[in-house]
Structures are given as C-alpha cells and as structure tokens.
Amino acid sequence: MSAIAYEDRAAGGLEQLGLTIAREHLDTASQLAAAQGWSYSHFLGYLLDGELAFRREKTIRVSLQFANLPYRKKLEDFDFAQQPSIDRRLIDELATGRFLAEGRNIILQGPPGVGKTHLAISLGIITAELGYRIYFTSVIDMARRMAKAMNEGKLAREMNNLVRPTLLILDEVGYLALDPVQASLLFQVIANRYDKGHPIIVTSNKAFSDWGDVFAGDAVMASAALDRLLHRSTVINVRGDSFRLKEKRQAGLASSHPKGGPS
Ligand code: ADP
Ligand code: MG
C-alpha cells in the first residue's frame, strides 16, 4: 500500500477502533508534529494521552452518576480545625485508596452532625476518581428495597447491585429499627461483600455493644456481622457538637444550649 493510502486510512482506523478523541486530535497532532519535529513515539503518546484522559474522565462521571450520593462534598471541604477528634493523618492515609485493595472496611461512629456522612462521601468521591464503582445508600433504604425485591423474586439482582461496586457506603446504621427480614438482608450484604473482599464504609450512631439492636435484637447475627466488618477495618470515633447546630449558633439562629437535643 502506498504512503498516501495509509495516511487516508489513519482517521478511519482510529474511528473503527473507537478511539474517537484520538481521531478528533489527529489533524492537529499531525500539524504539531510536523511543525515541532516530534518523534513518531512522541506523536503516538500525544494522541493516546488525549484518548486516555477522556476515558478516565468518563469513567469517573459514570461512576458518580450511579453512586446515589446525597450530596457531593470533598475532603477539601472538610474543616479539620472544627473537628479535633479526627486524626487528619488517618484520613489522609484513607484518601490514598489503599483500603480498597486491602478490602479494609471503614467504620465512622459518633453522634449526629459531626461529619460522618461528609467524610464517607469524600472518600467515595476519591474512590470514584481512582476509577472504581461506588454506591451510597442509607441502611433503611437498602433494606426496604431488598425486601421489596425479595417479594418480587428479584433479590439476586438487587444483591448483585450491592455487592459488585468496589465500595459500598452504608449510611446511618442503627438510626432506624430494621425488622428481622431486613436485618438478615443487611447481614447477607455484609457477608457477601466480605467474601469478595469488597470494602464498606459504615456510618453509625451506635456503639458496637449496641449492634444487637441494629439486627432486630439478634445478638448472634450482630456478632457474626461485626466479626466480618471488623476483621480488616479502620474504626474512627468522631466526637463533638453537631456542625449543623454550630453553624446555626454562629449565625445567631439557635441558642447555645438547644433544648430539643441533637438534630
Ligand atoms: P453526620 O453524618 O455525622 O450526622 P454530616 O456529615 O451529615 O454529619 O454533617 C452535617 C453537615 O455539616 C454536612 O453538611 C457537613 O458537610 C457539615 N460538616 C460537618 N462537619 C464538618 C466539618 N468539620 N467541616 C465542614 N463541614 C462539616
Ligand atoms: Mg449522616
């Protein structure tokens, strides 16, 4: 084949291979290469780089689209000075994403409003940015959805959706009581993810000693679940006043001694 014919085939070939961004950049890259005397490998590297950057960005976008995050707040948005009970270095270590490969669970425990969900979401966004699938759900929503799926004979699919993502964020464990069926479904999610080595980030207001209540009073199931969750885990106890109330107080909207208790 003549050199000219090869030149004609370059654009079509990239298109056929699905390298659409490289295709778009082909003419500009060729002109740059000629003008600046690029080596052949420099030219190829340039084309592939644009394609790969686009794909990375798309993976992240899709992952976040299906993540079901209630809001998107990043670690940079977290004010560590306002939250002295948290060891910054520990969070920075988690932010490397090493816990994902290790299948290490993260348990954030503490009262309402201290930043547990915010930190869980931040680590979820980092995980998505590393190119992994994530899924966020409150425990009660998950349990209700699973119970419904079970009644409709679709439990296997629902279970797969909860076990497959590299990271599952289970928010508000222990806030609302589960019935025995819901409790056993929660247990199955924890057990199946453990078997796969896929980590969970849990946020909870309950001490481990009260997890019997989380599992509808079934202490045996609670201890079997905790066994798996804690086997490889980082437990973070978050203390302090509710950030929401603090902000309100600073804005002069709430007294410094709220009578209604935590929000
Ligand atoms: P929790 O899950 O512990 O109940 P959240 O993480 O939902 O609390 O925090 C409540 C609100 O306060 C959120 O909007 C969160 O972004 C914000 N918040 C809490 N702690 C901090 C903090 N240290 N820095 C910045 N924002 C915070
Ligand atoms: Mg929360």
Side-chain angles (χ1 to χ4, degrees), residues 87-108:
D87 181 356
R88 174 81 203 247
R89 282 166 310 176
L90 181 55
I91 304 295
D92 285 343
E93 191 277 322
L94 294 174
T96 62
R98 261 197 300 274
F99 72 98
L100 298 161
E102 295 167 4
R104 177 160 37 109
N105 299 311
I106 302 169
I107 326 274
L108 292 152

Side-chain angles (χ1 to χ4, degrees), residues 57-239:
E57 197 266 329
K58 189 175 165 196
T59 305
I60 296 167
R61 198 160 17 91
V62 170
S63 177
L64 286 174
Q65 198 180 324
F66 290 102
N68 194 35
L69 295 175
Y71 55 83
R72 288 188 194 177
K73 283 197 183 175
K74 297 200 153 198
L75 214 48
E76 297 89 276
D77 304 319
F78 195 82
D79 185 351
F80 285 89
Q82 295 272 355
Q83 187 39 274
S85 77
I86 291 182
D87 181 356
R88 174 81 203 247
R89 282 166 310 176
L90 181 55
I91 304 295
D92 285 343
E93 191 277 322
L94 294 174
T96 62
R98 261 197 300 274
F99 72 98
L100 298 161
E102 295 167 4
R104 177 160 37 109
N105 299 311
I106 302 169
I107 326 274
L108 292 152
Q109 279 182 329
V114 292
K116 302 184 300 297
T117 300
H118 182 145
L119 286 170
I121 289 172
S122 311
L123 292 169
I125 292 174
I126 287 170
T127 303
E129 286 172 348
L130 288 170
Y132 299 107
R133 284 291 173 100
I134 66 166
Y135 190 70
F136 179 106
T137 178
S138 75
V139 167
I140 192 73
D141 278 355
M142 179 185 82
R144 285 181 183 151
R145 249 195 347 266
M146 291 184 86
K148 184 165 173 278
M150 191 170 69
N151 291 333
E152 293 167 355
K154 296 176 186 160
L155 183 59
R157 199 175 65 187
E158 192 68 32
M159 181 65 81
N160 195 29
N161 289 340
L162 292 160
V163 174
R164 202 177 34 197
T166 303
L167 177 65
L168 177 70
I169 300 174
L170 272 182
D171 198 36
E172 306 202 328
V173 172
Y175 278 64
L176 291 172
L178 301 180
D179 65 32
V181 171
Q182 293 171 336
S184 108
L185 291 168
L186 168 61
F187 175 78
Q188 288 174 53
V189 171
I190 292 172
N192 289 342
R193 288 190 64 87
Y194 176 79
D195 289 343
K196 271 208 151 220
H198 281 177
I200 306 178
I201 299 183
V202 166
T203 80
S204 180
N205 61 339
K206 286 259 198 297
F208 294 131
S209 52
D210 295 330
W211 271 50
D213 299 343
V214 172
F215 285 89
D218 189 331
V220 175
M221 200 191 286
S223 125
L226 279 175
D227 228 41
R228 287 163 173 80
L229 275 178
L230 298 179
H231 176 205
R232 287 182 299 263
S233 64
T234 297
V235 179
I236 302 172
N237 279 297
V238 195
R239 291 182 293 276

